[in-house]
Amino acid sequence: MQIAAAPAHLAQPRHLATPPAPNAVRAAHHPGLARAGALSAAGVFFSALSRRRKLAARRAEGEQVVTPWEVEAGEDGVDYDKLIETFGCQPITSEQIERIERLTGKRPHRFLRRGLFFSHRDLDELLNAYEKGEAFYIYTGRGPSSESLHLGHLVPFLFTKWLQEAFDVPLVIELTDDEKFLFKKDLTIEESRRLAWENAKDIIACGFDPKKTFIFRDSDYIQQLYPVTLQIQKRISLRTAQNTFGFDPADNIGKVAFAAVQASPAFSIAFPDFLEPGRRCFVPQAIDQDPYFRLCRRVAEDLKWPKPACIHSKFLPALQGHQTKMSASVASTALYMTDTEKKLRKKINKHAFSGGGKTEEEQREHGANLDVDVSYQYLKIWLEDDEELERIGEDYAAGKLLTGEVKKRLGDVVSEIVREHQEDSDVLFFGTELEINESFFLQARARIEDATVERFMDPAREELRSSFAKKLATEAA
């Protein structure tokens, strides 16, 4: 359709017309500048294109690809030693685990004892400061892309809950409804906000203490985040963002800008209602989120703000095998907190990849390959009893146990988690405390009303301020 020109009397006066950008004016008078600008833009384009081609080539050759949005590995699964080398982080040592136990007086969480959390950045520096009486806070988050959390999503939240209780520190939880809106083509902002609200109920059902926990959606809290976000955005070039994340020139600019939003909660000045400036931050996260915090730490150094310390977890593998992680986007790969016990067992029996023999005779003779057996790997994560886990591993590898028996035990354990993952803790509802040691997770979640979510999402509530004020007074004394 051809659009007619506006009549002369409605045309915009020349003095109100949008002036050309300064660079365009300079380029018009200096052709060399125009060529340089074009070459610079072309350089950024080909840099992104080159990175994407390299990723495609690695996939084609069966090499692992680990980004914040994609995890693919070869037949042997993710090589975490290689990730440590590639990302430049450090492995967690037995000495560090023993030190955490000594400082907190609590037995390390099984996720830490069994190596699910396996690498870190500046853990020693954080522990040194804590030992001298310096406070820190914890920051973790969730990208709300599904109606409910699955077991893989629970890993950082259960570990974070243990950290908060062990160190007795404040916690902020970011729900990146903006990220999911920007990265998912057909997702509306309204739906993204709704999913974040529903996911908050799952998170609250883990038993976090509202007196020490602030949960927020980015779209709600952006006014407070934005001054910090701007400082970060100003210090990350387009080339750096593309080299780090592999953005395509066709990607929307919101994707590029979002990196600074996710980095912002790692600085306490983003929470003036209840945190003092300069407090250290500790970030439990899956290893695929590390690129965000590499940039974040680089910017912190430039701004002379405390660098966030990080601790990284391995992925909970998909039921079909450890070549990729459990994904909310593929229901058959995941065990959801909303699944019934019957559905959980059916998924495990049908989809969980077996490292055992194809026949009973073969299993009895050769035993199972524990490294690739998903049921055993899940038991390593979710079975609390160390002695039972060791016994199952020995018997299964020796052929004394069959795959069906191991899957049945996993079904028992997972069903128990879904029913009673609040064991030995309280779920706090608006104005009340309710013990649900014998309640189903779904019942606990169903009893979390909107008022409870609103309570957790209020940064100015008195209980939050007073709790941290008392903590600060104690530390100062």
Side-chain angles (χ1 to χ4, degrees):
M1 178 186 299
Q2 189 172 15
I3 301 176
H9 68 282
L10 294 180
Q12 188 175 33
R14 288 178 59 85
H15 71 282
L16 293 180
T18 303
N23 287 342
V25 173
R26 288 198 298 270
H29 289 87
H30 301 281
L33 284 177
R35 286 194 298 273
L39 288 172
S40 177
V44 171
F45 173 86
F46 285 113
S47 173
L49 189 61
S50 174
R51 179 176 174 79
R52 292 178 73 88
R53 285 175 175 170
K54 286 179 181 177
L55 288 175
R58 283 165 55 189
R59 288 190 200 94
E61 294 172 5
E63 292 186 31
Q64 67 183 21
V65 173
V66 177
T67 75
W69 310 284
E70 185 179 13
V71 176
E72 292 183 14
E75 291 184 2
D76 296 328
V78 176
D79 185 338
Y80 290 101
D81 291 334
K82 187 174 181 179
L83 276 185
I84 286 176
E85 182 180 345
T86 302
F87 286 178
C89 39
Q90 301 295 319
I92 293 174
T93 65
S94 57
E95 290 77 15
Q96 289 171 322
I97 296 174
E98 290 168 3
R99 188 181 184 193
I100 290 173
E101 182 173 14
R102 187 173 69 253
L103 289 175
T104 64
K106 294 185 180 294
R107 188 187 187 206
H109 196 281
R110 66 178 181 274
F111 292 171
L112 199 54
R113 300 195 311 268
R114 296 176 188 166
L116 182 60
F117 280 82
F118 72 106
S119 72
H120 71 93
R121 293 186 185 277
D122 286 353
L123 178 59
D124 286 326
E125 286 78 356
L126 183 88
L127 296 178
N128 289 342
Y130 180 80
E131 196 165 19
K132 294 175 184 176
E134 184 179 325
F136 67 89
Y137 72 101
I138 302 171
Y139 157 42
T140 194
R142 156 87 178 129
S145 60
S146 61
E147 196 80 29
S148 172
L149 303 187
H150 60 56
L151 280 181
H153 296 141
L154 273 189
V155 167
F157 290 115
L158 292 180
F159 186 62
T160 294
K161 182 175 182 289
W162 181 85
L163 287 172
Q164 183 186 38
E165 293 173 350
F167 287 98
D168 189 23
V169 291
L171 165 66
V172 298
I173 300 175
E174 179 186 36
L175 298 172
T176 58
D177 54 338
D178 52 343
E179 176 201 19
K180 293 306 176 184
F181 169 69
L182 292 166
F183 281 81
K184 288 187 172 290
K185 183 178 179 181
D186 298 325
L187 185 65
T188 65
I189 187 63
E190 292 80 13
E191 178 64 2
S192 184
R193 283 172 54 80
R194 187 191 70 80
L195 290 174
W197 190 269
E198 293 304 312
N199 283 188
K201 294 178 181 179
D202 280 337
I203 294 167
I204 292 168
C206 290
F208 289 107
D209 184 351
K211 301 185 195 67
K212 298 177 183 178
T213 305
F214 173 51
I215 301 174
F216 63 96
R217 294 181 295 196
D218 282 344
S219 61
D220 291 329
Y221 197 66
I222 193 63
Q223 182 176 349
Q224 288 80 1
L225 281 183
Y226 199 52
V228 182
T229 300
L230 283 174
Q231 294 279 15
I232 299 169
Q233 286 175 338
K234 191 172 183 177
R235 289 164 174 81
I236 299 176
S237 69
L238 176 59
R239 184 181 296 277
T240 297
Q242 288 186 311
N243 286 340
T244 303
F245 299 108
F247 292 124
D248 188 283
D251 285 331
N252 67 67
I253 61 174
K255 292 182 180 181
V256 180
F258 173 74
V261 178
Q262 180 157 320
S264 298
F267 302 108
S268 63
I269 58 170
F271 306 99
D273 286 307
F274 55 88
L275 290 179
E276 76 283 5
R279 183 181 281 231
R280 289 177 183 267
C281 181
F282 190 32
V283 189
Q285 59 187 279
I287 187 64
D288 59 341
Q289 298 300 301
D290 185 68
Y292 284 111
F293 294 93
R294 291 204 300 274
L295 285 185
C296 176
R297 286 165 52 82
R298 189 184 308 170
V299 168
E301 192 170 346
D302 187 37
L303 287 166
K304 296 181 171 51
W305 293 347
K307 289 182 181 180
C310 303
I311 188 166
H312 307 118
S313 74
K314 298 176 181 178
F315 305 115
L316 188 67
L319 284 169
Q320 286 84 346
H322 55 279
Q323 287 85 5
T324 188
K325 65 178 181 178
M326 186 177 284
S327 171
S329 303
V330 186
S332 63
T333 71
L335 302 174
Y336 288 94
M337 299 310 297
T338 52
D339 284 343
T340 63
E341 179 173 346
K342 181 178 179 180
K343 194 169 187 178
L344 289 169
R345 291 184 183 276
K346 183 177 179 180
K347 283 183 178 181
I348 291 168
N349 289 332
K350 183 177 180 180
H351 297 296
F353 183 81
S354 172
K358 294 181 180 180
T359 64
E360 179 177 345
E361 292 74 18
E362 187 177 330
Q363 169 61 16
R364 296 292 188 197
E365 182 178 354
H366 301 292
N369 180 350
L370 302 183
D371 292 334
V372 301
D373 190 275
V374 168
S375 297
Y376 177 75
Q377 292 301 319
Y378 279 20
L379 285 173
K380 280 183 66 177
I381 295 170
W382 300 112
L383 180 60
E384 179 65 36
D385 190 323
D386 291 339
E387 291 183 2
E388 183 184 359
L389 178 67
E390 183 177 3
R391 185 170 62 253
I392 289 173
E394 290 176 352
D395 289 350
Y396 194 28
K400 296 178 181 178
L401 282 177
L402 301 178
T403 297
E405 295 172 295
V406 177
K407 286 188 174 184
K408 182 182 182 303
R409 184 64 184 117
L410 175 63
D412 295 339
V413 171
V414 169
S415 298
E416 182 76 8
I417 291 167
V418 173
R419 284 199 307 268
E420 302 177 14
H421 90 280
Q422 295 290 338
E423 189 176 354
D424 296 328
S425 67
D426 293 335
V427 170
L428 295 170
F429 298 91
F430 190 66
T432 64
E433 291 193 10
L434 178 65
E435 290 195 12
I436 62 162
N437 291 351
E438 298 179 358
S439 298
F440 284 78
F441 172 81
L442 290 177
Q443 292 173 333
R445 187 189 185 283
R447 295 162 103 168
I448 297 175
E449 300 176 350
D450 286 344
T452 307
V453 180
E454 290 170 1
R455 177 187 182 185
F456 274 87
M457 288 190 174
D458 179 8
R461 64 187 189 272
E462 180 58 34
E463 65 178 354
L464 201 60
R465 293 199 305 268
S466 61
S467 177
F468 298 155
K470 290 175 185 176
K471 179 76 176 171
L472 286 172
T474 304
E475 290 162 356

